[in-house]
Amino acid sequence: MSAGPPAVVRDERLPTRVTIHEVGPRDGLQNEAAVVTVAVKVELVERLVAAGLPIVETTSFVHPRWVPQLADAAEVVARLDLAGSTPLPVLVPNERGLDRALEAGCTHVAVFASATETFAAKNLGSTLADQMTMFEPVVARALAAGLDVRSYVSMCFGDPWEGAVDPAVVVEVGRRLLDLGASQLSLGDTIGVATPGQVTDLVARFAAAGVGVERLAMHFHDTYGQALANTHAALLAGVTTFDASAGGLGGCPYAQSATGNLATEDLVWMLTGLGIGHGVDLDALVATSTWLAGHLGKAPASAVVRALSR
Ligand code: MG
């Protein structure tokens, strides 16, 4: 037995439509212990596209030593329809990654920056200041080749080693990435510690620095159960792009918790109830996450998938 779909009550203060940037195949699978085959990865992307996700981040051209789960990135991309109407971005950590993405014919790439010194050192082998030197040629070459470049900023609301993060530093890092030519910033609550007031404050700080909400996306993690509350705060602030991961794929690698990325189904349920357009077929999405869970050998973390599967 299951209830649903949710009753719809519009709140006129909120946007009428949002874009869900699906990150499950990349951000989700890279943080899952189980490795799935190329065929399963390709089917996952194709099913997400068919379910109506308007953009599906597919894989990462990171060195296989760091993320063995995505060592087959080139094979996966080669089997996907890159010329279709749904953009299929890939993460490129450096120029070598960009070379591989260009070789594969990708049209959309993303770079991954840090808002803290410790995470820049641990994840990028760089410093907060020097990371820009690393991104500059990647972004410049991608733009010259006609690609769209998105930029992630991680640890925007809290850092497992440093604790509180100075929002002024987040704005500075974000502004520099936009100056390099990134089309959009995805502001990550990488360990899921943010609460709604921080979200409202950060969006206002970007606005004060001349960066409007149309350039911002939010990337929330549900580690502390705050992802939807933070999403609602961002909606109230006018943000219209949200990252989410089908089924809640991807544990959080930096916190001892089973839950990581905000589940796409949980986001879709709330947006539907708020009368906000998203274009996603929830039943098709739930079926996809349930199918993938069989390949991963674990139940989906998404509360909505669990509720609808009862
Ligand atoms: Mg994530």
mmCIF file of all heavy atoms in Angstrom, residues 23 26-28 30-31 112 152 188-190 219-221 243 245 249-251 253 260-262, ligand 1:
data_model
loop_
_atom_site.group_PDB
_atom_site.id
_atom_site.type_symbol
_atom_site.label_atom_id
_atom_site.label_comp_id
_atom_site.label_asym_id
_atom_site.label_seq_id
_atom_site.Cartn_x
_atom_site.Cartn_y
_atom_site.Cartn_z
ATOM 1 N N VAL A 23 22.841 13.611 -10.571
ATOM 2 C CA VAL A 23 24.270 13.298 -10.409
ATOM 3 C C VAL A 23 24.533 11.832 -10.030
ATOM 4 O O VAL A 23 25.671 11.439 -9.797
ATOM 5 C CB VAL A 23 24.950 14.220 -9.357
ATOM 6 C CG1 VAL A 23 24.931 15.677 -9.813
ATOM 7 C CG2 VAL A 23 24.327 14.052 -7.972
ATOM 8 N N ARG A 26 27.353 9.618 -11.628
ATOM 9 C CA ARG A 26 28.719 10.074 -11.329
ATOM 10 C C ARG A 26 28.947 10.183 -9.814
ATOM 11 O O ARG A 26 29.637 9.370 -9.207
ATOM 12 C CB ARG A 26 28.977 11.423 -12.024
ATOM 13 C CG ARG A 26 30.450 11.822 -12.075
ATOM 14 C CD ARG A 26 30.978 12.517 -10.840
ATOM 15 N NE ARG A 26 30.284 13.763 -10.541
ATOM 16 C CZ ARG A 26 30.451 14.428 -9.394
ATOM 17 N NH1 ARG A 26 31.256 13.983 -8.463
ATOM 18 N NH2 ARG A 26 29.783 15.539 -9.174
ATOM 19 N N ASP A 27 28.327 11.155 -9.178
ATOM 20 C CA ASP A 27 28.558 11.411 -7.759
ATOM 21 C C ASP A 27 28.038 10.270 -6.892
ATOM 22 O O ASP A 27 28.605 9.955 -5.844
ATOM 23 C CB ASP A 27 27.868 12.726 -7.370
ATOM 24 C CG ASP A 27 28.224 13.202 -5.983
ATOM 25 O OD1 ASP A 27 29.258 12.770 -5.444
ATOM 26 O OD2 ASP A 27 27.468 14.014 -5.427
ATOM 27 N N GLY A 28 26.955 9.633 -7.344
ATOM 28 C CA GLY A 28 26.399 8.507 -6.597
ATOM 29 C C GLY A 28 27.288 7.281 -6.687
ATOM 30 O O GLY A 28 27.806 6.792 -5.678
ATOM 31 N N GLN A 30 30.287 6.864 -7.702
ATOM 32 C CA GLN A 30 31.699 6.960 -7.287
ATOM 33 C C GLN A 30 31.843 6.772 -5.782
ATOM 34 O O GLN A 30 32.923 6.480 -5.286
ATOM 35 C CB GLN A 30 32.330 8.284 -7.742
ATOM 36 C CG GLN A 30 32.036 9.483 -6.875
ATOM 37 C CD GLN A 30 32.863 10.717 -7.287
ATOM 38 O OE1 GLN A 30 33.315 10.836 -8.415
ATOM 39 N NE2 GLN A 30 33.042 11.625 -6.361
ATOM 40 N N ASN A 31 30.738 6.949 -5.053
ATOM 41 C CA ASN A 31 30.787 6.793 -3.601
ATOM 42 C C ASN A 31 30.108 5.522 -3.103
ATOM 43 O O ASN A 31 29.854 5.376 -1.917
ATOM 44 C CB ASN A 31 30.160 8.023 -2.932
ATOM 45 C CG ASN A 31 31.013 9.274 -3.144
ATOM 46 O OD1 ASN A 31 32.223 9.234 -2.951
ATOM 47 N ND2 ASN A 31 30.400 10.356 -3.566
ATOM 48 N N PHE A 112 35.807 20.662 -10.314
ATOM 49 C CA PHE A 112 35.449 20.416 -8.924
ATOM 50 C C PHE A 112 36.415 21.179 -8.020
ATOM 51 O O PHE A 112 37.566 20.787 -7.870
ATOM 52 C CB PHE A 112 35.550 18.903 -8.685
ATOM 53 C CG PHE A 112 34.909 18.415 -7.433
ATOM 54 C CD1 PHE A 112 33.543 18.147 -7.397
ATOM 55 C CD2 PHE A 112 35.658 18.198 -6.285
ATOM 56 C CE1 PHE A 112 32.934 17.680 -6.241
ATOM 57 C CE2 PHE A 112 35.054 17.726 -5.119
ATOM 58 C CZ PHE A 112 33.692 17.461 -5.105
ATOM 59 N N TYR A 152 31.706 22.870 -9.631
ATOM 60 C CA TYR A 152 31.308 22.525 -8.264
ATOM 61 C C TYR A 152 32.197 23.282 -7.290
ATOM 62 O O TYR A 152 33.385 23.468 -7.535
ATOM 63 C CB TYR A 152 31.502 21.024 -8.012
ATOM 64 C CG TYR A 152 30.478 20.172 -8.719
ATOM 65 C CD1 TYR A 152 30.734 19.635 -9.981
ATOM 66 C CD2 TYR A 152 29.241 19.931 -8.145
ATOM 67 C CE1 TYR A 152 29.785 18.869 -10.638
ATOM 68 C CE2 TYR A 152 28.288 19.168 -8.790
ATOM 69 C CZ TYR A 152 28.563 18.641 -10.029
ATOM 70 O OH TYR A 152 27.614 17.890 -10.674
ATOM 71 N N GLY A 188 28.131 23.020 -2.935
ATOM 72 C CA GLY A 188 27.962 21.737 -2.278
ATOM 73 C C GLY A 188 28.030 21.781 -0.764
ATOM 74 O O GLY A 188 28.961 22.348 -0.194
ATOM 75 N N ASP A 189 27.016 21.165 -0.148
ATOM 76 C CA ASP A 189 27.084 20.899 1.293
ATOM 77 C C ASP A 189 27.596 19.464 1.407
ATOM 78 O O ASP A 189 26.839 18.537 1.676
ATOM 79 C CB ASP A 189 25.714 21.058 1.946
ATOM 80 C CG ASP A 189 25.769 20.813 3.448
ATOM 81 O OD1 ASP A 189 26.880 20.822 4.016
ATOM 82 O OD2 ASP A 189 24.703 20.592 4.050
ATOM 83 N N THR A 190 28.868 19.306 1.185
ATOM 84 C CA THR A 190 29.484 17.997 0.967
ATOM 85 C C THR A 190 29.294 17.021 2.127
ATOM 86 O O THR A 190 29.220 15.820 1.925
ATOM 87 C CB THR A 190 30.982 18.195 0.650
ATOM 88 O OG1 THR A 190 31.090 19.245 -0.307
ATOM 89 C CG2 THR A 190 31.627 16.947 0.111
ATOM 90 N N HIS A 219 23.683 21.840 -4.106
ATOM 91 C CA HIS A 219 24.022 20.417 -4.058
ATOM 92 C C HIS A 219 24.006 19.994 -2.589
ATOM 93 O O HIS A 219 24.999 20.153 -1.878
ATOM 94 C CB HIS A 219 25.405 20.221 -4.688
ATOM 95 C CG HIS A 219 25.852 18.798 -4.810
ATOM 96 N ND1 HIS A 219 25.991 18.155 -6.015
ATOM 97 C CD2 HIS A 219 26.207 17.888 -3.876
ATOM 98 C CE1 HIS A 219 26.413 16.914 -5.813
ATOM 99 N NE2 HIS A 219 26.566 16.726 -4.520
ATOM 100 N N PHE A 220 22.851 19.509 -2.167
ATOM 101 C CA PHE A 220 22.703 19.179 -0.742
ATOM 102 C C PHE A 220 22.880 17.695 -0.473
ATOM 103 O O PHE A 220 22.548 16.851 -1.303
ATOM 104 C CB PHE A 220 21.330 19.640 -0.243
ATOM 105 C CG PHE A 220 21.171 21.141 -0.218
ATOM 106 C CD1 PHE A 220 20.113 21.754 -0.881
ATOM 107 C CD2 PHE A 220 22.092 21.938 0.459
ATOM 108 C CE1 PHE A 220 19.978 23.138 -0.863
ATOM 109 C CE2 PHE A 220 21.953 23.327 0.482
ATOM 110 C CZ PHE A 220 20.890 23.924 -0.180
ATOM 111 N N HIS A 221 23.381 17.421 0.713
ATOM 112 C CA HIS A 221 23.481 16.043 1.191
ATOM 113 C C HIS A 221 22.586 15.897 2.410
ATOM 114 O O HIS A 221 22.414 16.844 3.186
ATOM 115 C CB HIS A 221 24.930 15.714 1.562
ATOM 116 C CG HIS A 221 25.789 15.408 0.374
ATOM 117 N ND1 HIS A 221 26.950 14.688 0.457
ATOM 118 C CD2 HIS A 221 25.650 15.722 -0.935
ATOM 119 C CE1 HIS A 221 27.489 14.573 -0.752
ATOM 120 N NE2 HIS A 221 26.729 15.198 -1.605
ATOM 121 N N ASP A 243 20.865 19.831 -7.559
ATOM 122 C CA ASP A 243 21.490 18.544 -7.829
ATOM 123 C C ASP A 243 20.809 17.490 -6.958
ATOM 124 O O ASP A 243 20.456 17.767 -5.804
ATOM 125 C CB ASP A 243 22.980 18.571 -7.454
ATOM 126 C CG ASP A 243 23.786 19.567 -8.287
ATOM 127 O OD1 ASP A 243 23.194 20.238 -9.154
ATOM 128 O OD2 ASP A 243 25.000 19.669 -8.045
ATOM 129 N N SER A 245 20.455 12.833 -6.553
ATOM 130 C CA SER A 245 20.978 11.536 -6.959
ATOM 131 C C SER A 245 19.869 10.488 -6.843
ATOM 132 O O SER A 245 19.277 10.325 -5.768
ATOM 133 C CB SER A 245 22.166 11.193 -6.051
ATOM 134 O OG SER A 245 22.692 9.935 -6.358
ATOM 135 N N LEU A 249 21.612 7.594 -4.135
ATOM 136 C CA LEU A 249 22.886 6.907 -4.404
ATOM 137 C C LEU A 249 24.080 7.681 -3.869
ATOM 138 O O LEU A 249 24.155 8.901 -4.016
ATOM 139 C CB LEU A 249 23.104 6.843 -5.916
ATOM 140 C CG LEU A 249 22.604 5.674 -6.729
ATOM 141 C CD1 LEU A 249 23.028 5.894 -8.174
ATOM 142 C CD2 LEU A 249 23.146 4.374 -6.202
ATOM 143 N N GLY A 250 25.020 6.949 -3.311
ATOM 144 C CA GLY A 250 26.278 7.569 -2.886
ATOM 145 C C GLY A 250 26.276 7.900 -1.411
ATOM 146 O O GLY A 250 25.661 8.866 -0.994
ATOM 147 N N GLY A 251 26.937 7.098 -0.637
ATOM 148 C CA GLY A 251 27.112 7.435 0.773
ATOM 149 C C GLY A 251 28.021 8.644 0.865
ATOM 150 O O GLY A 251 28.627 9.041 -0.119
ATOM 151 N N PRO A 253 31.371 10.113 1.740
ATOM 152 C CA PRO A 253 32.678 9.550 2.041
ATOM 153 C C PRO A 253 33.392 10.256 3.195
ATOM 154 O O PRO A 253 34.374 9.756 3.703
ATOM 155 C CB PRO A 253 33.449 9.737 0.729
ATOM 156 C CG PRO A 253 32.785 10.874 0.044
ATOM 157 C CD PRO A 253 31.350 10.845 0.470
ATOM 158 N N GLY A 260 23.907 10.078 1.844
ATOM 159 C CA GLY A 260 24.756 11.068 1.202
ATOM 160 C C GLY A 260 23.931 12.067 0.446
ATOM 161 O O GLY A 260 23.237 12.891 1.037
ATOM 162 N N ASN A 261 23.984 11.967 -0.876
ATOM 163 C CA ASN A 261 23.268 12.913 -1.732
ATOM 164 C C ASN A 261 21.768 12.935 -1.469
ATOM 165 O O ASN A 261 21.148 11.907 -1.209
ATOM 166 C CB ASN A 261 23.475 12.514 -3.194
ATOM 167 C CG ASN A 261 24.889 12.756 -3.663
ATOM 168 O OD1 ASN A 261 25.379 13.869 -3.614
ATOM 169 N ND2 ASN A 261 25.558 11.693 -4.095
ATOM 170 N N LEU A 262 21.187 14.121 -1.613
ATOM 171 C CA LEU A 262 19.733 14.240 -1.611
ATOM 172 C C LEU A 262 19.184 13.318 -2.692
ATOM 173 O O LEU A 262 19.653 13.335 -3.830
ATOM 174 C CB LEU A 262 19.337 15.697 -1.916
ATOM 175 C CG LEU A 262 17.862 15.948 -2.259
ATOM 176 C CD1 LEU A 262 16.948 15.571 -1.090
ATOM 177 C CD2 LEU A 262 17.661 17.408 -2.638
HETATM 178 MG MG MG B 1 27.325 14.847 -3.667
#
